[in-house]
Amino acid sequence: MIKNMTCEKVRSLLSAYLDRELDYHELRSVELHLIDCPSCQEECRTLRATKDLLGALDSPKLPREFWPELREKINSGSASDSYSRLLVRVLVPVAALLVLAILPLASATHTKASKSLTQARTNLVEPYVREHIISELDRPFSDKTSLGFVAAGQAVTMYSSDFLESYDHSAPHEVVTSSNRAGRRIQAEPFQRVMFLSPK
Amino acid sequence: MLNTRALAGAQYRESNIEAFEELVRTYDLKLYRVALRLTGNPDEAKDLAQEALFRAYRAFDKFKMGTSFEKWLFRIASNLYIDKLRKYGKYRFESLDEPIATKDGYVEKTLPDWTGNPEEIAEQNELAEKIQAALQSLPVNYRMAVVLYDLEGFSYEEISGILDCSIGTVRSRIHRGRRLLRKKLAPYVYQETEVGVG
């Protein structure tokens, strides 16, 4: 829609008007305003003159050394790229091999430490669990199933998975038998199985 | 027209500088001209244009096929220019329109009024030098918009893509830039309009 614009609005659009970058309605509105507004006409003339003045600037030539220097830059850049590629292709595999070589040693050390820790935990906690289960087994009306679940829950909480994996499953037999309570070995076995999650 | 597909081809990938040079030859002078008008210094213009082409060469795999290579290239150049300005602060970066903050509050900037002494101005440097100096005095965003439109003939839409701003912003920057130039170059502007009217 073509509107009656104020001088201020028209003046803000004059550069775009000169550049033919207004839409149809804006263009017609500016044109209509300019017909009757000498001050905006003057504004428009001086802006056009400013725009035309810029055309007085000479067009420079490209310096002769422009491309030779750029080629050299690209070449040296490519050289550094090649160096980077060399780093990636040679040094990274070497580093990877070194890591592979070191990893088993580190792992062995870690496993050793892990085993020590597990052993410490076992020494501290296991006797109490064991004694609890064994004492419960002595009671004639104890709920064996429930006790099994309690034992299993305690086992999972107290014994880390690496312990479960590395644990010598023959040990509970020995432990129970070493308690000198005849007949308990048979009763204890189901709970040992639950505790150590390894059915026999 | 630039054969961007060829540029992306195997020859380019193998760092064929000659192929790259041949393909961007269309733009090297234009790029240098813009750089010269932005920096006002031939050596810095050469450095800027070379650096822009070098970056374009290295980053060509990021160029999206089917889009304007020219716009992409000039965007690299304008970003590079702004980065350098921020880093080294060689050129004026502040707006001439904005007031300066001081301890006692804000002070309005005033531009020299040359309207009254055209004879004195006529004794100064050549017209081209005056225009270049006036361009240099513009805030960088205005300068880039004016140079790209008035000197290199990019459309408002293309400039909005190069400078990563809206067309409305381009319109505003060009207009403000021209108004500041008019003030700076008043003796020449009014002389020209008088000749035009007469």
Side-chain angles (χ1 to χ4, degrees), chain A:
Chain A
M1 185 181 165
I2 297 162
K3 294 176 186 173
N4 286 326
M5 289 181 174
T6 61
C7 286
E8 191 185 2
K9 177 66 181 170
V10 167
R11 288 177 186 204
S12 73
L13 296 175
L14 283 178
S15 282
Y17 168 73
L18 291 171
D19 297 339
R20 299 176 187 276
E21 292 274 358
L22 292 180
D23 65 38
Y24 175 76
H25 295 298
E26 285 175 323
L27 179 73
R28 292 294 297 148
S29 299
V30 171
E31 280 178 344
L32 283 173
H33 180 93
L34 285 176
I35 290 170
D36 294 324
C37 184
S39 65
C40 285
Q41 286 174 18
E42 176 62 11
E43 177 82 4
C44 189
R45 260 198 301 274
T46 54
L47 276 176
R48 180 179 280 129
T50 307
K51 181 174 148 74
D52 293 344
L53 260 184
L54 295 174
L57 284 171
D58 293 333
S59 182
K61 289 180 179 175
L62 199 68
R64 282 186 177 183
E65 68 277 16
F66 187 87
W67 273 101
E69 283 178 4
L70 183 57
R71 276 186 219 113
E72 197 178 320
K73 196 170 187 177
I74 290 174
N75 271 327
S76 59
S78 300
S80 66
D81 279 353
S82 305
Y83 183 67
S84 303
R85 280 199 295 273
L86 183 74
L87 284 177
V88 171
R89 286 178 187 171
V90 177
L91 291 186
V92 170
V94 167
L97 282 173
L98 280 173
V99 168
L100 285 174
I102 292 167
L103 201 61
L105 292 173
S107 177
T109 313
H110 173 75
T111 310
K112 209 168 181 178
S114 183
K115 275 179 181 169
S116 305
L117 186 63
T118 304
Q119 191 60 47
R121 282 182 195 152
T122 307
N123 292 342
L124 282 171
V125 181
E126 193 185 44
Y128 294 100
V129 179
R130 200 181 302 126
E131 285 305 314
H132 171 73
I133 293 167
I134 289 167
S135 65
E136 284 298 305
L137 287 172
D138 282 342
R139 296 174 59 187
F141 301 109
S142 65
D143 182 347
K144 305 291 187 297
T145 311
S146 152
L147 186 58
F149 282 116
V150 170
Q154 283 174 325
V156 170
T157 307
M158 289 186 291
Y159 295 84
S160 62
S161 57
D162 55 348
F163 168 69
L164 292 173
E165 284 167 12
S166 61
Y167 196 84
D168 179 3
H169 296 291
S170 63
H173 294 270
E174 292 166 14
V175 169
V176 172
T177 49
S178 67
S179 68
N180 294 324
R181 297 186 184 203
R184 282 183 195 148
R185 179 178 174 181
I186 298 161
Q187 288 175 302
E189 266 185 357
F191 302 106
Q192 289 159 9
R193 286 176 194 163
V194 175
M195 272 184 74
F196 302 109
L197 305 176
S198 78
K200 294 185 178 178

Side-chain angles (χ1 to χ4, degrees), chain B residues 3-181:
Chain B
N3 185 349
T4 48
R5 286 192 185 282
L7 191 57
Q11 281 190 316
Y12 167 76
R13 300 287 178 202
E14 292 304 316
S15 303
N16 190 331
I17 300 163
E18 286 75 23
F20 176 76
E21 181 180 337
E22 190 186 330
L23 289 162
V24 298
R25 274 283 188 190
T26 324
Y27 304 107
D28 57 2
L29 181 57
K30 197 172 183 175
L31 194 63
Y32 175 71
R33 270 201 311 258
V34 168
L36 185 61
R37 297 309 167 208
L38 290 177
T39 62
N41 178 302
D43 289 335
E44 285 172 10
K46 189 182 71 179
D47 287 348
L48 177 63
Q50 285 177 334
E51 182 70 22
L53 284 170
F54 179 63
R55 289 191 181 196
Y57 177 80
R58 294 191 65 169
F60 190 74
D61 55 346
K62 291 175 189 164
F63 171 70
K64 290 178 189 167
M65 290 296 163
T67 60
S68 166
F69 179 77
E70 187 180 34
K71 201 156 70 179
W72 183 72
L73 181 61
F74 278 84
R75 191 169 182 170
I76 290 175
S78 65
N79 286 340
L80 183 63
Y81 177 59
I82 288 173
D83 286 349
K84 283 192 184 292
L85 276 180
R86 284 181 182 152
K87 195 170 177 184
Y88 303 112
K90 280 184 181 176
Y91 309 108
R92 297 190 60 158
F93 208 76
E94 76 275 23
S95 166
L96 294 183
D97 289 329
E98 288 168 13
I100 306 166
T102 67
K103 281 189 291 184
D104 305 320
Y106 285 90
V107 177
E108 291 289 334
K109 292 179 189 173
T110 53
L111 293 167
D113 182 6
W114 293 344
T115 337
N117 53 356
E119 292 85 10
E120 193 181 319
I121 294 162
E123 292 169 5
Q124 293 175 3
N125 298 327
E126 295 288 331
L127 176 60
E129 287 174 9
K130 279 288 177 192
I131 296 169
Q132 183 61 55
L135 275 174
Q136 287 305 119
S137 73
L138 294 182
V140 63
N141 286 332
Y142 298 176
R143 180 159 72 245
M144 288 201 292
V146 167
V147 165
L148 291 172
Y149 188 86
D150 285 331
L151 298 175
E152 295 305 332
F154 284 101
S155 69
Y156 281 21
E157 191 182 355
E158 286 169 329
I159 295 170
S160 80
I162 292 169
L163 301 182
D164 195 21
C165 61
S166 70
I167 290 179
T169 303
V170 173
R171 181 193 276 193
S172 162
R173 286 178 184 176
I174 289 175
H175 187 58
R176 289 180 183 184
R178 279 190 195 146
R179 285 176 62 185
L180 286 171
L181 284 176

